[in-house]
């Protein structure tokens, strides 16, 4: 034996190492001798005894197969013995040593004599229990996603109908509907970050109030997480109250304040909204959808009730929620939304800006309809639109043009827009993200840039671009 051959594994050992690395156990069924050989690796997977045993015409391979899966296994094997050269089957296997059920995939090769008779079957088995459980989990998650998407679409449709019934102007409808849609989106973003286990009340308050009239809003209470249904309801309630305060209430004046406080009670929690320092308040002459949403929808969705008081000194609202609205603390808790993220989603009325005249603005957005809407809105504001670019390479190819500002989606058909953002940063070209992706607490990729979350009002994007171009 040469020195180079010392320690070199034999072909048999090499095969054993490969089988072990792949998590496979092997067997051999000698049909002529009616004997079954089970390897140690197969024994570890199936709980069958290792060594050579009576094959019993193949029944020894079936002794622990789940009864519901046995017919398909037999059919596959018999078909291969009759005319094929291999068979494969997936079945549940009840381990005879401990009774545990494992999901097994087996593959066998039929060896035939010169006259065509099957004389031996050699095969392997693999424990795919983890894979099957993951597939079941994936199927369950897809079904749950389908359910949630349909619920969201139904809720959006209902919001659109209810908002339309209460408005006579298209501009007012678009403003009110966009604000309510944004409130739903903020709640869903927080829920997604927590894997749909719950959203914190303070995070919901921060998402809606964090950038409205800085120094005029505050919120405080114990850490409290709500179920997805309750979180969406409270997000809409915060939006309706904030929008009303900005238009008619305390936040319509520099001297006004909004204070939100909540506390745990034995049956759930209570939340108080108090406006002070604003104009004198009187009950509205007509009831709008906002009042209906607060008193009926929010109360019911929180398993409690809502009470609105139109005091001369300011609007007061008390929301009472039942225990069913409270969720356990999620394992993953996102950071509270920062003002940098929320500063561009204020419900204050936004008029189309006229100060983008001549500005060269790059649009990078993979959704064609959104890109067209952005192009139209920015063009109407006076901007010279570059693009839109729908793909990463297309966007990179436009960077050699003169650019004053850019609007970037964070994800372009599954690819990060980071290379574009890095190139713009190197050129000191300001940009913002208009996206549904990114971290709740900051801009995608850690870039120092404002963020507008989808769904958005294109006028907000135009205003934000104008702010980027305004000297500090």
């Amino acid at each position: 034996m040469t020195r180079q051959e010392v320690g070199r594994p034999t072909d048999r050992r090499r095969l054993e190492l490969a089988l072990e690395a792949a998590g496979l156990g092997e067997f051999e069924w000698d049909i002529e001798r009616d004997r079954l050989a089970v390897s140690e690796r197969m024994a570890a997977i199936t709980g069958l005894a290792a060594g050579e045993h009576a094959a019993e015409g193949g029944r020894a391979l079936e002794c622990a197969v789940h009864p519901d899966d046995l017919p398909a296994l037999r059919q596959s094997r018999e078909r291969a013995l009759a005319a094929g050269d291999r068979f494969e089957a997936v079945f549940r296997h009840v381990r005879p040593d401990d009774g545990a059920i494992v999901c097994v995939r087996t593959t066998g090769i039929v060896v035939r004599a010169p006259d065509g008779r099957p004389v031996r079957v050699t095969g392997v088995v693999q424990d795919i229990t983890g894979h099957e459980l993951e597939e079941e989990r994936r199927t369950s998650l897809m079904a749950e996603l389908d359910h949630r998407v349909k619920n969201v679409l139904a809720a959006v449709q209902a919001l659109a109908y209810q908002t339309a019934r209460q408005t006579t102007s298209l501009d007012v409808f678009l403003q009110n509907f966009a604000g309510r849609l944004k409130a739903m989106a903020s709640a869903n973003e927080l829920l997604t970050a927590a894997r749909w286990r719950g959203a914190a009340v303070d995070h919901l308050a921060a998402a809606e109030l964090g950038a409205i009239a800085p120094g005029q809003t505050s919120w405080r209470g114990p850490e409290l997480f709500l179920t997805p249904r309750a979180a969406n309801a409270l997000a809409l309630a915060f939006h309706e109250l904030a929008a009303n305060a900005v238009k008619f209430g305390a936040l319509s004046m520099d001297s006004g304040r909004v204070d939100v406080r909540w506390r745990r009670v034995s049956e759930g929690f209570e939340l108080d909204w108090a406006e002070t320092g604003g104009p004198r308040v009187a009950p509205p002459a007509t009831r709008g959808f906002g009042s209906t949403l607060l008193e009926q929808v929010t109360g019911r969705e929180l398993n409690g009730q809502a009470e609105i008081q139109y005091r001369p000194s300011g609007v007061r609202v008390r929301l009472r929620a039942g225990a069913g609205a409270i969720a356990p603390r999620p394992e993953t808790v996102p950071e509270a939304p920062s003002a940098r993220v929320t500063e561009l989603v204020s419900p204050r009325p936004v008029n189309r800006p006229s100060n983008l005249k001549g500005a060269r603005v790059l649009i990078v957005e993979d959704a064609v309809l959104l890109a067209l809407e952005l192009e139209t809105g920015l063009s109407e504001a006076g901007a010279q639109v570059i693009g839109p670019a729908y793909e990463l390479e297309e966007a990179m190819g436009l960077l050699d043009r003169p650019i004053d500002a850019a609007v970037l989606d964070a994800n372009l058909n599954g690819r990060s827009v980071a290379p574009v953002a890095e190139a713009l940063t190197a050129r000191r070209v300001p940009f913002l993200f208009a996206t549904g992706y990114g971290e709740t607490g900051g801009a995608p990729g850690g870039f120092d840039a404002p963020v507008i979350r989808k769904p958005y009002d294109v006028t907000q994007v135009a205003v934000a671009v104008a702010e980027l171009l305004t000297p500090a």
Side-chain angles (χ1 to χ4, degrees):
M1 179 180 296
T2 64
R3 178 172 298 178
Q4 288 80 2
E5 291 173 329
V6 174
R8 179 180 298 172
T10 63
D11 290 343
R12 176 62 183 176
R13 179 56 181 162
R14 192 177 294 113
L15 175 60
E16 289 177 347
L17 290 173
L19 290 170
E20 184 175 352
L24 301 174
E26 70 275 21
F27 67 89
E28 186 171 82
W29 173 22
D30 189 327
I31 299 176
E32 292 186 326
R33 295 173 52 233
D34 196 31
R35 302 295 291 175
L36 174 66
V38 176
S39 73
E40 294 285 350
R41 282 178 290 273
M42 178 172 172
I45 293 172
T46 63
L48 299 174
E52 189 173 286
H53 316 280
E56 302 178 21
R59 289 187 297 277
L61 285 168
E62 306 170 350
C63 63
V65 176
H66 193 285
D68 293 344
D69 299 341
L70 186 55
L73 173 63
R74 282 179 175 171
Q75 184 180 30
S76 176
R77 188 188 65 203
E78 295 304 323
R79 188 186 304 117
L81 289 174
D85 58 357
R86 62 176 291 151
F87 71 91
E88 182 173 334
V90 174
F91 55 88
R92 286 165 293 174
H93 177 89
V94 184
R95 291 176 57 101
D97 54 349
D98 57 13
I101 298 178
V102 294
C103 192
V104 172
R105 175 186 287 119
T106 182
T107 303
I109 300 293
V110 180
V111 179
R112 299 183 181 277
D115 59 5
R117 291 179 298 106
V119 296
R120 187 168 63 256
V121 175
T122 300
V124 294
V125 298
Q126 182 181 22
D127 182 357
I128 60 170
T129 305
H131 172 78
E132 289 297 302
L133 289 175
E134 181 63 25
E135 188 62 31
E136 289 179 9
R137 179 174 175 272
R138 187 179 295 110
T139 301
S140 176
L141 287 174
M142 290 301 296
E144 178 66 17
L145 176 63
D146 179 65
H147 171 72
R148 287 177 181 168
V149 167
K150 289 176 179 176
N151 278 350
V152 168
L153 291 176
V156 169
Q157 184 181 52
L159 274 179
Y161 286 155
Q162 292 294 333
T163 304
R165 288 192 179 103
Q166 300 290 332
T167 54
T168 57
S169 163
L170 178 59
D171 287 341
V172 173
F173 165 78
L174 290 175
Q175 180 181 328
N176 291 343
F177 178 65
R180 288 162 181 163
L181 201 60
K182 173 57 87 172
M184 289 182 61
S186 296
N188 277 265
E189 184 176 354
L190 290 169
L191 289 167
T192 299
R195 299 179 182 177
W196 274 80
R197 296 293 186 267
V201 174
D202 62 324
H203 290 185
L204 294 168
E208 191 61 42
L209 303 177
I212 301 174
Q216 293 180 249
T217 60
S218 68
W219 54 93
R220 184 172 70 247
E223 184 179 69
L224 189 64
F225 291 87
L226 305 185
T227 65
R229 185 170 177 174
N232 274 298
L234 187 59
L236 280 173
F238 279 149
H239 170 74
E240 295 302 322
L241 290 168
N244 186 74
V246 167
K247 293 177 183 177
F248 314 111
L251 298 184
S252 66
M253 300 176 62
D254 291 340
S255 60
R257 282 192 57 83
V258 169
D259 296 296
V260 181
R261 302 289 182 266
W262 61 92
R263 56 195 169 277
R264 292 290 296 262
V265 295
S266 57
E267 296 83 11
F269 75 94
E270 290 183 349
L271 182 144
D272 292 318
W273 172 287
E275 297 183 27
T276 57
R280 186 177 179 83
V281 172
T286 59
R287 289 175 56 82
F289 176 59
S291 297
T292 301
L293 188 148
L294 280 170
E295 293 180 346
Q296 296 186 28
V297 179
T298 303
R300 290 182 180 275
E301 293 294 299
L302 292 174
N303 297 310
Q305 60 183 359
E307 177 186 351
I308 306 176
Q309 297 179 358
Y310 296 96
R311 300 180 181 180
S313 59
V315 173
R316 298 291 179 93
V317 178
R318 170 164 291 183
L319 300 177
R320 295 182 178 88
I326 300 176
R329 191 180 199 276
E331 294 180 3
T332 301
V333 178
E335 295 181 5
S338 67
R340 186 63 169 164
V341 175
T342 59
E343 64 185 355
L344 303 177
V345 296
S346 167
R348 293 184 184 275
V350 176
N351 296 318
R352 288 192 179 274
S354 57
N355 57 346
L356 287 182
K357 185 176 181 179
R360 296 161 296 191
V361 182
L362 170 66
I363 297 176
V364 181
E365 169 61 65
D366 62 356
V368 177
L369 286 176
L370 285 178
L372 292 176
E373 177 68 8
L374 282 172
E375 182 177 14
T376 300
L378 295 179
S379 296
E380 289 180 355
Q384 176 187 339
V385 172
I386 300 173
Y390 303 101
E391 302 285 347
L392 180 61
E393 290 80 7
E394 189 178 2
M396 296 297 291
L398 295 174
L399 294 179
D400 58 348
R401 301 188 184 185
I403 299 172
D404 298 313
V407 178
L408 309 179
D409 187 4
N411 186 290
L412 301 174
N413 296 310
R415 302 175 67 184
S416 172
V417 79
V420 179
E422 290 170 355
L424 292 172
T425 300
R427 291 176 52 181
R428 298 185 178 180
V429 175
F431 59 90
L432 62 86
F433 290 101
T435 179
Y437 287 85
E439 299 80 4
T440 302
F447 289 96
D448 182 19
V451 179
I452 300 179
R453 300 294 185 195
K454 296 177 180 177
Y456 50 69
D457 182 343
V458 69
T459 59
Q460 291 177 314
V461 179
V463 168
V465 172
E467 291 179 354
L468 288 178
L469 297 174
T470 301

